[in-house]
Structure formats: structure tokens, C-alpha cells
Amino acid sequence: MRVLLVGAGGVGTAITRIAARRDFLSHMVVADFDLARAESAVDALKQHEGRFSSLRLDASDQAAVRRTLVEERCDVLVNATDPRFVMPLFGAALAAGTHYLDMAMSLSAPHASRPHEECGVKLGDRQFEQTGDWERSGRLALVGMGVEPGLSDVFARYAADELFDDIEEIGVRDGANLTVAGYDFAPSFSIWTTIEECLNPPVVYEKDRGWFTTAPFSEPEVFEFPAGIGPVECVNVEHEEVLLIPRWVDAGRVTFKYGLGDDFIAKLRTLHELGLDSTAKVTVPGADGPVEVSPRDVVAACLPDPAALGDRMTGKTCAGTWVKGTKDGSAREVYLYHVVDNEWSMREYGTQAVVWQTALNPVVALELIAKGTWSANGVLGPEALPPRPFLDLLGAYGSPWGMRDDS
């Protein structure tokens, strides 16, 4: 399989390190707007010389991305950029006749007059509008294939197929006990994406109501996470699983809740109140005259690079899917989960835990596609494909999943 990986940040670099150990990959072109980042990712893999190459590429230039896919004879485009670039990359892959895979879907837009009650443009709407084009192309656009969304959706499908007869509720729950020495505020993942998903109106799904929204950080609950992480307060956050799971899994309710903590939530609220979460450019003085910048980009530039925090980070991160329903006439409640210890991911891959956990799952999916185990066309979420081969392969990658039965 020949892959064009667009984005050589933390997740993109981790993808290269994981994929380098698997034999399904014949060649990966690592592309980034910053050529030095792409070169750095490739230079770290000198023992795999010939299987990786680097180039400069603007993810917003759909024509240039399409040309690269054709010239490099790529089978699939992997999008490891932030959600702003989903649509040009998605369109380039369709135009080039390749498969496509991302970890975050096209951006949402809140309802104009009732943002905390009704959906406006939902996550992924712009991609699903092109389902017919992808079906006619005979190619697969696998959307939301990270850890959350991604593995969490695979867990939902597995639960529906093998663990339950009827499902009352599916709730994706994400929590950690990670700390970063030397920083009062150092997000473990892209702050640009974190602001987007945490300050947008969260979406909830109910079978008799469909999709609707609530206020940010609504419905707080304390969830007990495994592997020594313990109880963490989780709140509603906008996330792709709520838009994906109900398309293929029959459930009465679907939610996504993230363990953010009071201090993190307070800082996000402050950013919003000051307008520093905005992506609209403002004019500020510069050395050579006025400069237009996005406040959110300034916030991101002022914070440490999450990919570079691994040496200062301790603890574990847990991603998982809680499912409640019935099996053989009896009530059942389980939590399917995946835990990564930062000490382990740094020792084995030189990559911090949250970034590594996100990067693992698209590589597993690529291997299943390369081997024909996952074979489909159209715009699909992970829960549209057989879950057992994916879960089995996690063990082969040295990072098995777990299940807690709370029935």
C-alpha cells in the first residue's frame, strides 16, 4: 500500500513510527506545509530508508494534493491535519480516485437562532453529502478513524453485534490522570481542535427526537475510569461519535462526555469571553505594518506543542465506550476501553500517550484496508465495518483493549 500522509505534527509523526513496524506499508509520502516537519518525521526512520519520503504540500490546495496523489501513485490519503482542511483533502482524494481516511470530520456551524437546542450544520454533514459520488467511485472514505472518534465507534459496533440484544444508551467516555510538570496549563492535544469541540454546542442523540444540542459542559457526571485513573467528572462535548454511531447502530441515546476538570473548563470559558476562541482574523500591529491573525491561532502559538510534552508528562489516558441495555432478557452494562500509559508510549515510540493513542487506530485501519479485510465504498464511519478484525489486530500492535462488566 502506498500512502500520502498529510500533516507531520504530533499525530502524523506518530503514525509514521507505528506504520514503520508493519509490513503492509510499501511506501508513505509524508507531506506538510512546513517541509522541515515532514523531513524530521522521515529522518527519524532512517532504518526504514526507501519506505518513507517527504515533501512540502499545502493542505488547502486541493489541486496540488490531487496531483501529488496521482504522481506518487498513492492508494490512500490519510488526513492528519486539523478539521479546517478536511474538505479540500476529501475532495482531492475523490478526484484522484484514491481511498481517504481522517480522524476528525468536516466542521459544524451552530444553529443561527437556537444554538443550544437545535443543530445547525452538523459535524460531517458536508462529507456525507458526497456519499453518492464516493459510492460511484468505488472508493472508501473512512471518516472519524482516530481513537475518539474511531476506536470508540468500533467498540459501539462490537457491543451491538456481540454483547447486547437491545441498547438503551451508548456513551463515549474519555478521561485521564495525566499531569505535565512545569506547566499550569498545557493541553495534551491540539488546543485549536480542543477549543472547537469544547466550546461548540454539544450534540446529543435520542431515537425519538433525533439529534439536538445542549449548552457547553452540560450534564456533568462522575465516571469511574479503569487502570488506576479513578473517578473523573465528565461533561458533554461536541464530538463525531454522536453523529456517526446512530447511522449504523440502533441505540436509544448516544452521548459523548469528556473529563476536562473545573480548571480547564474555566480557562476555556475565559478564552470564549475574551473572544480568543475566534477563528475570524483581526488586525494587529506588526514590525512591517498591520498583520491579520486569528485569535485562536495566537492562543495555540502561545502554548507548548502537545507533541513535545511527553518527557514532562506522567499518567495514563483512557478512551472508551460505555453501553447499557439488555442481553438474553437481563440488564447489562459494560465499558469497553483502551488505556495508554505515557511512560510506555514514550519508551516504545518516543511519543506522548494521547498523540500515540490517536495515531494507532488509523494505522490499524490502513492495514485492514490493505489486506482487504475491510472492503467497502462510500462515506462510512468505523461502526459500518466489522469490528472483530480491528479489535484482534490491536493486540498484535502491542496495545490490547479491555472490557469492564458493570452489570
Side-chain angles (χ1 to χ4, degrees):
M1 172 181 274
R2 293 182 63 87
V3 176
L4 173 62
L5 171 68
V6 184
V11 172
T13 297
I15 285 174
T16 66
R17 295 177 183 180
I18 298 168
R21 303 189 185 188
R22 308 298 296 183
D23 60 11
F24 75 89
L25 180 73
S26 58
H27 190 81
M28 178 176 282
V29 180
V30 183
D32 198 281
F33 187 78
D34 182 348
L35 178 58
R37 291 208 309 180
E39 290 176 335
S40 177
V42 172
D43 288 346
L45 302 168
K46 288 190 181 297
Q47 69 272 35
H48 301 280
E49 191 172 352
R51 295 178 70 204
F52 294 85
S53 59
S54 59
L55 57 80
R56 183 187 183 280
L57 190 62
D58 182 348
S60 68
D61 188 340
Q62 181 170 321
V65 176
R66 182 196 63 78
R67 286 195 303 271
T68 302
L69 286 165
V70 173
E71 291 168 0
E72 295 289 343
R73 299 175 287 108
C74 293
D75 303 296
V76 58
L77 185 158
V78 175
N79 176 2
T81 63
D82 73 54
R84 288 174 290 183
F85 303 106
V86 163
M87 291 314 296
L89 295 175
F90 188 74
L94 179 62
T98 70
H99 300 302
Y100 169 88
L101 186 153
D102 66 29
M103 290 156 273
M105 293 160 61
S106 61
L107 291 169
S108 65
H111 191 277
S113 59
R114 292 167 54 83
H116 297 156
E117 293 83 23
E118 298 182 33
C119 295
V121 176
K122 301 188 298 298
L123 291 169
D125 274 358
R126 295 180 65 195
Q127 291 172 283
F128 282 113
E129 288 170 358
Q130 298 184 31
T131 295
D133 294 334
W134 279 90
E135 290 175 344
R136 287 186 288 274
S137 76
R139 296 292 183 266
L140 170 64
L142 181 55
V143 298
M145 190 62 254
V147 60
E148 292 175 338
L151 177 56
S152 51
D153 303 74
V154 174
F155 283 149
R157 175 80 271 164
Y158 173 74
D161 287 354
E162 302 195 26
L163 303 179
F164 290 84
D165 296 323
D166 296 288
I167 294 177
E168 177 183 335
E169 183 170 355
I170 295 174
V172 179
R173 300 292 184 265
D174 181 310
N177 61 0
L178 295 168
T179 59
V180 182
Y183 290 98
D184 293 327
F185 185 61
S188 59
F189 202 70
S190 162
I191 188 62
W192 199 101
T193 302
T194 301
I195 288 173
E196 182 73 18
E197 61 191 25
C198 290
L199 292 178
N200 279 350
V203 180
V204 175
Y205 173 84
E206 294 179 357
K207 185 185 291 188
D208 60 354
R209 184 176 174 183
W211 286 294
F212 61 94
T213 57
T214 70
F217 316 120
S218 58
E219 298 182 358
E221 67 173 58
V222 175
F223 190 83
E224 185 77 26
F225 288 92
I229 295 173
V232 178
E233 185 177 78
C234 299
V235 294
N236 278 328
V237 168
E238 181 191 48
H239 233 252
E240 285 90 343
E241 291 95 328
V242 179
L243 287 311
L244 287 171
I245 290 171
R247 296 174 187 267
W248 291 282
V249 178
D250 186 13
R253 193 170 195 261
V254 181
T255 58
F256 177 96
K257 294 189 179 183
Y258 195 7
L260 295 172
D262 291 341
D263 182 64
F264 198 97
I265 290 173
K267 285 182 169 63
L268 290 174
R269 288 190 191 277
T270 299
L271 289 175
H272 178 65
E273 289 164 1
L274 295 175
L276 295 176
D277 60 326
S278 174
T279 58
K281 291 186 176 181
V282 297
T283 302
V284 298
D288 299 316
V291 178
E292 287 192 337
V293 295
S294 155
R296 192 185 300 186
D297 287 339
V298 173
V299 171
C302 290
L303 291 172
D305 177 3
L309 295 174
D311 291 334
R312 293 173 171 264
M313 188 181 291
T314 56
K316 299 175 183 177
T317 184
C318 179
T321 305
W322 165 76
V323 187
K324 179 181 180 181
T326 60
K327 178 68 174 179
D328 298 328
S330 298
R332 191 174 198 192
E333 187 174 331
V334 303
Y335 182 58
L336 306 162
Y337 62 88
H338 184 255
V339 173
V340 179
D341 187 321
N342 188 74
E343 181 182 354
W344 176 87
S345 65
M346 286 298 296
R347 182 179 68 247
E348 294 293 321
Y349 288 88
T351 303
Q352 59 105 317
V354 177
V355 166
W356 188 88
Q357 188 181 46
T358 303
L360 168 66
N361 298 283
V363 180
V364 174
L366 286 174
E367 182 162 344
L368 293 174
I369 294 168
K371 293 181 176 180
T373 308
W374 274 6
S375 179
N377 57 65
V379 181
L380 301 178
E383 55 279 276
L385 298 162
R388 175 55 77 173
F390 190 101
L391 297 176
D392 289 345
L393 200 51
L394 281 179
Y397 277 70
S399 191
W401 58 286
M403 184 179 83
R404 183 180 69 203
D405 195 327
D406 296 326
S407 303

